[in-house]
Amino acid sequence: SADFVLLSPCLPDRPPSPVNVTVTQLKANSATVSWDVPEGDVIIGYAISQQRQDGQVQRFIREVNTTNRACVLWDLAEDADYVVQVQSIGLHGESQASKRVHFRTLKQSERLPSNSSNQGDITMEGLDKERQLQTGEIVIIVAVLLMWAAVIALFCKQYDIIKDNDSNNNKEKSKPSSEHSTPERPVGGLLRSKKKSPSVNIIEV
């Protein structure tokens, strides 16, 4: 018993209860409950209890190994009153339940404006996706054009190199013939002129 007395003060306390429990995104058949948790204790999950006020319908949702601080409540009755409470789950137990939060679901007719707004969101998302696709297509087209420009530039460079090589080869082929041909003509002409001029001079004298 003495050991138990010594160890009892060291037993951990239950985790603190969630605070700021609020219900948002009300619809005819669903709602979202969110909450905050005081810092300092290790929380490994949450337990959400929902109960319909005008009946005995009660649901208990338990989520472990999660850090989410929100939960979607599905399959609710339209135009009905509900009460929701949240508990924190720690390593050594659960906290006390939070304050009771009352909310009322919407009527089916009241769902149309929310649907229209959702459709607007969907259309906006569709437009954003189309814009993303258009920008992606433009990027692809620009990349293809740049690739073609690079290929054409390389082809032109190769063509210029081939053309320069062909012109150099033609020059090398033409140079020997000109070198061989040019000395023959003047030499022959000089020799002929030298031979003719003395013969003419001799005849005149």
Side-chain angles (χ1 to χ4, degrees):
S1 61
D3 293 337
F4 178 76
V5 171
L6 290 173
L7 293 174
S8 59
C10 299
L11 292 175
D13 296 332
R14 298 170 73 179
S17 301
V19 295
N20 299 328
V21 180
T22 56
V23 177
T24 57
Q25 298 182 6
L26 279 171
K27 297 181 181 179
N29 303 112
S30 65
T32 300
V33 58
S34 58
W35 59 88
D36 294 328
V37 179
E39 297 181 358
D41 292 336
V42 178
I43 305 299
I44 62 172
Y46 303 97
I48 301 101
S49 64
Q50 90 183 38
Q51 184 175 5
R52 186 170 172 177
Q53 282 189 335
D54 57 356
Q56 299 298 323
V57 179
Q58 185 174 2
R59 180 181 295 171
F60 192 76
I61 303 170
R62 185 183 178 91
E63 296 186 359
V64 186
N65 297 328
T66 179
T67 58
N68 290 333
R69 296 182 181 180
C71 178
V72 179
L73 307 176
W74 297 99
D75 297 330
L76 303 178
E78 65 170 322
D79 195 19
D81 292 318
Y82 286 89
V83 177
V84 65
Q85 288 179 290
V86 185
Q87 290 175 279
S88 300
I89 302 174
L91 296 174
H92 304 283
E94 298 178 358
S95 70
Q96 293 183 354
S98 66
K99 293 181 179 181
R100 294 162 62 92
V101 177
H102 299 262
F103 68 93
R104 186 178 183 86
T105 55
L106 302 178
K107 295 180 181 179
Q108 200 72 24
S109 59
E110 295 175 352
R111 191 177 173 183
L112 294 175
S114 62
N115 278 348
S116 62
S117 63
N118 290 337
Q119 289 176 358
D121 296 339
I122 291 170
T123 54
M124 289 300 294
E125 290 177 359
L127 289 175
D128 292 338
K129 288 181 181 179
E130 289 180 0
R131 289 175 184 173
Q132 291 177 359
L133 289 175
Q134 289 178 357
T135 54
E137 291 174 356
I138 291 171
V139 170
I140 292 172
I141 292 171
V142 170
V144 171
L145 291 175
L146 290 175
M147 290 176 63
W148 275 106
V151 170
I152 293 171
L154 289 174
F155 177 77
C156 291
K157 287 182 180 179
Q158 293 293 332
Y159 180 76
D160 291 338
I161 292 170
I162 294 169
K163 188 176 180 181
D164 292 340
N165 289 335
D166 292 340
S167 61
N168 290 333
N169 291 333
N170 292 332
K171 288 179 181 178
E172 289 177 357
K173 290 178 180 179
S174 61
K175 281 181 181 178
S177 61
S178 61
E179 288 175 358
H180 291 298
S181 60
T182 48
E184 291 177 353
R185 291 176 183 174
V187 169
L190 290 172
L191 290 174
R192 289 174 184 175
S193 61
K194 286 179 181 178
K195 289 179 182 179
K196 288 180 179 179
S197 59
S199 61
V200 171
N201 289 332
I202 291 168
I203 291 169
E204 289 179 355
V205 168

